[in-house]
Amino acid sequence: MSKICQVTGISYMSGNNVSHSKRRTKRRFLPNLAQKKFYIPEENRWVTLKVSSAGLRLIDKIGIREAVRRAEANGLLDY
């Protein structure tokens, strides 16, 4: 499974590990993802999403139904 938030679309970022001698090697910064179940009362069903902490804050702000609608419009959900 890919490490992409299904609400916001956040994925990994790339950067450098920098040692004490300033030697740089490539690395990946992974998003803070969690698999969480949400209840949608309008549809009377549970939905399991892989969301980032920013996605959880967005769901608290706009609601689960609107967040799912936006994610489907952006092509982030496929169920």
Side-chain angles (χ1 to χ4, degrees):
M1 293 205 301
S2 61
K3 295 179 186 332
I4 298 175
C5 176
Q6 291 181 315
V7 174
T8 60
I10 294 172
S11 63
Y12 72 90
M13 293 174 55
S14 61
N16 290 310
N17 275 332
V18 182
S19 69
H20 181 68
S21 65
K22 304 292 191 285
R23 187 163 177 96
R24 288 163 172 82
T25 56
K26 282 298 196 184
R27 64 162 292 182
R28 287 169 45 151
F29 293 94
L30 299 177
N32 184 12
L33 293 180
Q35 197 155 14
K36 184 134 173 61
K37 288 174 81 172
F38 297 97
Y39 182 70
I40 303 176
E42 293 87 8
E43 298 177 9
N44 195 23
R45 68 182 181 123
W46 290 88
V47 175
T48 302
L49 297 175
K50 192 186 299 187
V51 293
S52 62
S53 54
L56 287 173
R57 287 193 301 272
L58 183 70
I59 290 171
D60 285 343
K61 185 176 181 179
I62 66 174
I64 183 63
R65 183 66 217 140
E66 178 65 19
V68 168
R69 189 191 64 76
R70 287 185 190 179
E72 287 174 343
N74 292 334
L76 296 170
L77 290 179
D78 53 347
Y79 54 75

